[in-house]
Structure formats: C-alpha cells, structure tokens
Amino acid sequence: MQLMSSQDPKILQGLQENYQKILKPQIKLEIQQQIQNIENESQGLPQQMIKLPFILELWTLLKRQVLNLKRHRLMVKTRLIQVLINGFITGAIYWQLKRDNESMQDSIQIAKCLYLLALGIFYQSMNPQVLSFTTERTVFLKEYSSQMYSLLPYFVSKLIPELFSCSLFAILMSCIVYWMIGFAQTAEQFLFFIFTFILTTNVGNVTGLLAGSIFKQSSVSVPFSSTFVLPLFLFGGVFKNRSTYPDWIGWVEYINPSFYAFNALAENEFQNTTFKYNPIQLYHLDFGKWNSILMLIVLYFAFALVALLCLIRHCKKLQ
C-alpha cells in the first residue's frame, strides 16, 4: 500500500508491468480452474429444490427460536422482572383480603381482585409478543419468499417456546399473589388457579401474535392491541351485569378471554362457600368453571388459526 501510494511514476510503471507479466496470468488461470470446478460440481446437484419433512423443518426452527431466546436474554429478564414487580405490588395492595362471609364489601373486593389479576396476566403476555413478532415478521417474509422453509413449521415453532415461557411466568405470578392475597387455602383450588393463569397468559400471547400478523408496523399493532383490551375490560362481567347487556352487543363477552378467566377463578374461589353475597350470583357467573377452561382452550386455537390465516394472506401477496 505504501508503494502504490507513491507519486513516483517509475515505481507505478514498474508495479503495472510486473502485474501484467506475472500476476495477471496466474489470476486468469485460477479463475478458469474455479469455473471448471463449479461446473463439475453443479452437474451433480438436483435441478429442483427438495422440500424437507415437516418435523425436520420444525426441529431446525425450534433450535433457532431457542437460540434467539439465549441471545436476547435482556428481553427474558425484563419479562421476569415485570412479573415479579407486578406480582409483589398486587400482593401488597391486596394483602390478606378480609373474608367476612356476611360482608358484601369483602366478597366484591375479592371478586374484583380476581378479575384484575385475570386481565393483567392476559395483557402482560400479549404486549411483548406484539412488539417482538412485528419486528420479526419482515425477516420471516423474506426467508419464506426465498423458500427456506414452510409457513406451518415456522408458526408452530413460534408457539411452542412461548407456551413454556408463558406457563413458567404464570406459575411464578400465581405463587406470589395467591398466598400474599390469601385466597382459598386448599391444594385443589390453588392448582386450578395456576392452571387458569397458564391458559389465560397463553391466550394473551397468541392474541399478541394475531395483532402482529394483521398489521405490518408496530406503530399500528401496539395501539390496536391496547384498544383491544378496552372491550375486554368492559365486557369481563364486573363493571356491568351480563344479564343487562343489550342483545346487539352482548355477544362480545363470548369472545372475551378475561370473561372466561374471571368465571373460572370466581367459581374456583366462591363455589361451595358460605358467603352471603356470593359474586357467582351477584355477577351471574353461572357458565361453569370447566366450561370456562374449555372456552379458553378454544379461543387459544381460534386466535392462532386466525393469525395463521393472516400470515398465509401476506405470503400469497409475496407470490
């Protein structure tokens, strides 16, 4: 580099002459040999792309998802800290709620606490998924257009890791708030509480996936997801009695995950109790706790199916 930056014309002329006599023939020969090798190797390659089995694609994409989680440890730590902070703050606010069987205030207070927990755990898992999938979707569409893998294995690989992570966060949140607030002290009710939390947080996660599948930009998907929570808040069964909804809008509660989560949690807490003012009767929570669990499972697969259909539509546009 020092010689080539010299301003002496004799040095530059000498470099050029040596290149023409010595280096240029060698480079041409190497290029011809490389071309010949490539042509020989290409004769043994298949003339069309081979589609890999579903299981192999899924396994490869799952390994990549796990690797992404390891690389983005800050995001996992942030969600963990969020669960801990929300759990301890909620537990501190509702520390050891009174359980006077003759007090209407006490029973309503417990019911509202259950409702806020159900709505909070839903939103807590929905919002991070909206942000992460919206940013990742552009990469997915580019890779899919290059035929690197199929849509279904990719979509399933997005659900499985989140299924485990959301469940772990839900279990941690349940263990914090259940004993701090002082809900029913039986193992059966505690396990049902955890199970309901796990389903609710996974439905929230797949709802975030749905929002990220519909809209291209996070500036649109995030406000949409926040707006989506407002009807859930209003039609959850606490702030308005479900028996007084107008017929033309009452159907919203049947696609509301927080409505079923609240039903399940309330019946788990107040069923077979001696509360004079039982929230099951006050709020008409007569859907059944196991029916509510079933509907949460149905909503999980329904929202996942709609998200998959939205992705299929975007993929067809690329084609």
Side-chain angles (χ1 to χ4, degrees):
M1 294 297 295
Q2 184 178 0
L3 289 172
M4 292 183 67
S5 61
S6 174
Q7 301 297 322
D8 190 344
K10 292 183 179 180
I11 295 177
L12 296 176
Q13 184 178 0
L15 290 173
Q16 186 177 6
E17 290 176 355
N18 287 333
Y19 170 75
Q20 293 291 339
K21 293 178 181 179
I22 302 174
L23 291 179
K24 189 174 181 179
Q26 293 180 359
I27 293 173
K28 282 187 175 182
L29 180 61
E30 289 181 6
I31 292 175
Q32 292 175 357
Q33 290 176 348
Q34 291 291 335
I35 293 175
Q36 185 64 37
N37 292 336
I38 292 173
E39 290 178 350
N40 294 335
E41 292 176 358
S42 64
Q43 293 177 0
L45 294 176
Q47 298 301 315
Q48 61 182 2
M49 188 174 293
I50 299 175
K51 182 176 175 58
L52 296 176
F54 172 85
I55 297 298
L56 184 56
E57 286 189 352
L58 177 60
W59 177 249
T60 305
L61 291 169
L62 277 174
K63 289 194 292 185
R64 188 177 73 168
Q65 291 295 336
V66 173
L67 183 61
N68 286 335
L69 289 176
K70 291 181 179 179
R71 289 175 175 173
H72 298 84
R73 293 181 181 179
L74 180 61
M75 183 180 66
V76 179
K77 291 179 180 178
T78 302
R79 292 179 67 178
L80 177 61
I81 294 173
Q82 181 185 21
V83 168
L84 293 174
I85 292 176
N86 290 342
F88 282 113
I89 289 178
T90 305
I93 293 174
Y94 290 99
W95 175 262
Q96 297 298 312
L97 284 175
K98 294 182 179 179
R99 301 179 65 87
D100 187 353
N101 292 352
E102 300 295 325
S103 172
M104 183 177 182
Q105 180 66 27
D106 287 355
S107 62
I108 291 179
Q109 189 80 345
I110 296 172
K112 288 184 177 179
C113 177
L114 289 170
Y115 178 68
L116 290 176
L117 286 172
L119 191 64
I121 197 69
F122 176 85
Y123 187 75
Q124 189 171 281
S125 62
M126 178 185 70
N127 206 36
Q129 184 64 274
V130 175
L131 293 171
S132 63
F133 185 69
T134 303
T135 56
E136 184 183 326
R137 196 183 65 170
T138 304
V139 177
F140 155 70
L141 291 176
K142 288 181 179 179
E143 292 177 344
Y144 178 81
S145 63
S146 300
Q147 299 183 3
M148 295 179 64
Y149 47 76
S150 303
L151 173 59
L152 186 58
Y154 169 79
F155 189 77
V156 176
S157 72
K158 287 291 296 179
L159 293 178
I160 293 178
E162 292 293 338
L163 189 67
F164 287 98
S165 61
C166 287
S167 299
L168 288 175
F169 290 138
I171 293 172
L172 179 61
M173 182 77 171
S174 302
C175 293
I176 294 173
V177 299
Y178 197 89
W179 304 112
M180 291 184 69
I181 296 174
F183 291 122
Q185 304 291 317
T186 67
E188 181 183 354
Q189 289 171 298
F190 174 58
L191 292 176
F192 185 86
F193 184 94
I194 292 177
F195 184 54
T196 306
F197 254 44
I198 289 174
L199 287 178
T200 306
T201 191
N202 278 288
V203 174
N205 176 74
V206 80
T207 305
L209 192 63
L210 172 59
S213 302
I214 295 174
F215 301 103
K216 296 181 179 179
Q217 300 176 349
S218 58
S219 59
V220 180
S221 59
V222 173
F224 168 79
S225 61
S226 301
T227 307
F228 182 72
V229 172
L230 181 60
L232 305 186
F233 192 74
L234 297 176
F235 287 89
V238 171
F239 297 100
K240 187 174 176 59
N241 193 295
R242 62 180 295 230
S243 63
T244 61
Y245 286 136
D247 294 336
W248 63 275
I249 202 172
W251 58 269
V252 174
E253 70 177 7
Y254 294 107
I255 59 170
N256 184 355
S258 63
F259 166 73
Y260 297 112
F262 178 50
N263 262 268
L265 293 174
E267 289 202 38
N268 181 59
E269 182 69 22
F270 293 103
Q271 199 174 34
N272 303 323
T273 59
T274 58
F275 278 92
K276 181 178 180 181
Y277 301 97
N278 196 317
I280 296 177
Q281 283 77 43
L282 291 176
Y283 296 119
H284 295 270
L285 304 175
D286 53 359
F287 192 77
K289 68 178 186 179
W290 288 110
N291 289 334
S292 299
I293 292 296
L294 177 62
M295 286 306 301
L296 285 173
I297 296 174
V298 169
L299 287 178
Y300 176 84
F301 287 104
F303 289 168
L305 178 61
V306 176
L308 179 61
L309 292 176
C310 291
L311 286 178
I312 291 174
R313 180 172 175 270
H314 291 301
C315 292
K316 286 184 177 179
K317 286 183 178 180
L318 291 176
Q319 297 172 353

